C-alpha cells in the first residue's frame, strides 16, 4: 500500500473555498427534525452543529457512487476502500452563524494515514474547516473521515466498552426511518446505509439502518442546549465508537460536576454499550 498511500498523501495541503446562504427553510427543516416547536426566523442564531447541513457535496446523479456518496476524487483523495464514515470532530465555536446570512468555508486536507484494524485496512483523512462571515471567524473544525475494507462477516453486536452510568441529564431517543430520512434530506447525505435497508444489510453488513454519527452528535449537543439554556457552548468534540441502528432506542447523556465548565457526553445503546464519546466546554452567555 506504500506507493498507493504516497499518491493519496499528495492531497495533503489541498484547499477549497465555498460560499453558502444560511437558508431559513433549511433551519426550519432541522428544527422540525429535532422536535423544536419554535419557527426559526431570519436573523436568529443557528444552533451549534447545524452548520453541518451547509456546504453539501452536490453532484449530478450520474456521478453518484454505489454507496450513494459522490464518486471518489476531487477535493478528497480517491481512497479505494469501499466503506467510509465520519469518525469524529473537534470544534471551536467563535460566534453563532445567523439565519439569512452568507457564510464562507475554507477547507484543507491536513493528513492522510493508513492503519491495519481488526476489520482490515483503514485510511484516515483529517480535514480542517474554517467558517467565517463578513464580520470574521465563526467556527473552526477538524474532522476525521475513515475509509474501511468491505465487511468480511456479518455484523456482531458490540459488547464493549461500557458507557458511564452516572449522569446529570439523560434523554431517550427512539430512532426511526423517518428521522433518519429527514436528517439525510436536510444534510443532502446520500449514503445508503441511512435509508436503504437492503443495501445496509447486504453490502455493508449492518443489521438495520445506521443512525448518522453527526445526528447523534447533534442530539448530544441539543441535550446540553436544552439543559443549560443560559450558557454558551464554546467547544465540542466527539468520537464515534459503535454504531446505532433504527428501531432500537438509545440514550444520550451528559455529566457535569458542580461549577465545572467541562461536560462529559455520551450515547449508549439499549445494552449500555458506549456508541459515541464526546466532550463540551461551556461559558456564560454574553
Amino acid at each position: 500500500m506504500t506507493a498507493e498511500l504516497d499518491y493519496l498523501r499528495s492531497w495533503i495541503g489541498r484547499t477549497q473555498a465555498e460560499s453558502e446562504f444560511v437558508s431559513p427553510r433549511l433551519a426550519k427543516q432541522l428544527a422540525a427534525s429535532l422536535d423544536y416547536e419554535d419557527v426559526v426566523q431570519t436573523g436568529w442564531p443557528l444552533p451549534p452543529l447545524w452548520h453541518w447541513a451547509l456546504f453539501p457535496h452536490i453532484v449530478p446523479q450520474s456521478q453518484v457512487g454505489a454507496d450513494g456518496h459522490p464518486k471518489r476524487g476531487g477535493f478528497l483523495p480517491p481512497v479505494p476502500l469501499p466503506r467510509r464514515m465520519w469518525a469524529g470532530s473537534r470544534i471551536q465555536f467563535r460566534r453563532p452563524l445567523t439565519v439569512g446570512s452568507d457564510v464562507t468555508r475554507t477547507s484543507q486536507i491536513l493528513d492522510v494515514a493508513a492503519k491495519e484494524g481488526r476489520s482490515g485496512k483503514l485510511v484516515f483523512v483529517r480535514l480542517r474547516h474554517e467558517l467565517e462571515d463578513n464580520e470574521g471567524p465563526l467556527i473552526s473544525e477538524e474532522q476525521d473521515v475513515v475509509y474501511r475494507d468491505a465487511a468480511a462477516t456479518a455484523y456482531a453486536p458490540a459488547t464493549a466498552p461500557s458507557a458511564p452510568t452516572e449522569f446529570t441529564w439523560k434523554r431517550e431517543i427512539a430512532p426511526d426511518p423517518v428521522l433518519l430520512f429527514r436528517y439525510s434530506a436536510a444534510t443532502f447525505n446520500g449514503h445508503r446505509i441511512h435509508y436503504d435497508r437492503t443495501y445496509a444489510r447486504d453490502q455493508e453488513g449492518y443489521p438495520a439502518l445506521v443512525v448518522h454519527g453527526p445526528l447523534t452528535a447533534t442530539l448530544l449537543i441539543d441535550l446540553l442546549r436544552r439543559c443549560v439554556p443560559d450558557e454558551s457552548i464554546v467547544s465540542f468534540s466527539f468520537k464515534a465508537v459503535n454504531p446505532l441502528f433504527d428501531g432500537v432506542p438509545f440514550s444520550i447523556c451528559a455529566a457535569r460536576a458542580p461549577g465545572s465548565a467541562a461536560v462529559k457526553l455520551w450515547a449508549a445503546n439499549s445494552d449500555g454499550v458506549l456508541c459515541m464519546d464526546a466532550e463540551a466546554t461551556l461559558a456564560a452567555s454574553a
Side-chain angles (χ1 to χ4, degrees):
M1 177 125 185
T2 303
E4 186 175 58
L5 180 60
D6 288 344
Y7 172 66
L8 297 175
R9 285 180 60 81
S10 70
W11 262 254
I12 295 174
R14 294 195 181 194
T15 61
Q16 174 178 272
E18 305 168 273
S19 295
E20 177 77 282
F21 173 67
V22 185
S23 157
R25 175 180 175 180
L26 179 61
K28 290 176 183 177
Q29 289 175 332
L30 288 165
S33 299
L34 295 172
D35 249 354
Y36 278 89
E37 295 183 359
D38 291 343
V39 177
V40 180
Q41 305 288 337
T42 298
W44 285 21
L46 197 71
L49 301 188
W50 291 23
H51 73 280
W52 284 340
L54 302 174
F55 309 103
H57 190 183
I58 301 173
V59 300
Q61 186 68 18
S62 59
Q63 295 179 28
V64 174
D67 59 0
H69 281 305
K71 292 179 181 178
R72 308 299 172 90
F75 173 63
L76 289 174
V79 179
L81 299 177
R83 295 190 295 166
R84 59 183 128 174
M85 63 173 287
W86 189 338
S89 282
R90 296 156 299 282
I91 307 160
Q92 298 288 326
F93 299 103
R94 316 294 186 191
R95 294 183 296 113
L97 285 74
T98 302
V99 178
S101 66
D102 292 304
V103 178
T104 298
R105 184 180 75 175
T106 303
S107 305
Q108 183 178 27
I109 308 292
L110 298 181
D111 193 29
V112 179
K115 295 182 181 179
E116 194 77 24
R118 289 177 299 174
S119 60
K121 294 178 181 178
L122 301 171
V123 172
F124 292 86
V125 178
R126 182 160 54 94
L127 313 166
R128 178 185 291 126
H129 300 300
E130 301 286 350
L131 278 70
E132 60 181 13
D133 60 12
N134 58 9
E135 296 182 11
L138 295 161
I139 294 172
S140 179
E141 175 177 5
E142 284 195 6
Q143 187 181 109
D144 301 317
V145 179
V146 60
Y147 297 78
R148 300 182 293 165
D149 268 330
T153 59
Y155 175 79
T159 58
S162 297
T165 56
E166 299 295 325
F167 56 86
T168 309
W169 304 290
K170 181 178 181 179
R171 181 184 173 196
E172 295 293 326
I173 305 294
D176 62 23
V178 177
L179 173 62
L180 271 57
F181 167 79
R182 294 178 85 178
Y183 190 76
S184 287
T187 57
F188 205 74
N189 182 346
H191 197 181
R192 293 168 64 181
I193 62 172
H194 305 304
Y195 60 87
D196 185 338
R197 196 175 304 275
T198 300
Y199 173 88
R201 182 188 64 234
D202 296 348
Q203 300 300 318
E204 300 213 17
Y206 294 116
L209 299 178
V210 180
V211 178
H212 314 65
L215 173 58
T216 303
T218 300
L219 289 168
L220 284 172
I221 213 167
D222 182 66
L223 172 69
L224 198 53
R225 289 185 64 244
R226 293 173 189 258
C227 294
V228 289
D230 297 328
E231 296 181 77
S232 299
I233 300 168
V234 295
S235 70
F236 179 79
S237 63
F238 82 90
K239 181 180 180 181
V241 180
N242 285 302
L244 294 162
F245 302 104
D246 82 302
V248 183
F250 65 91
S251 58
I252 53 173
C253 304
R256 183 186 191 184
S260 174
V263 181
K264 173 76 173 174
L265 303 105
W266 65 91
N269 67 17
S270 56
D271 294 323
V273 174
L274 182 68
C275 294
M276 181 168 286
D277 196 19
E279 295 180 352
T281 305
L282 300 174
S285 296

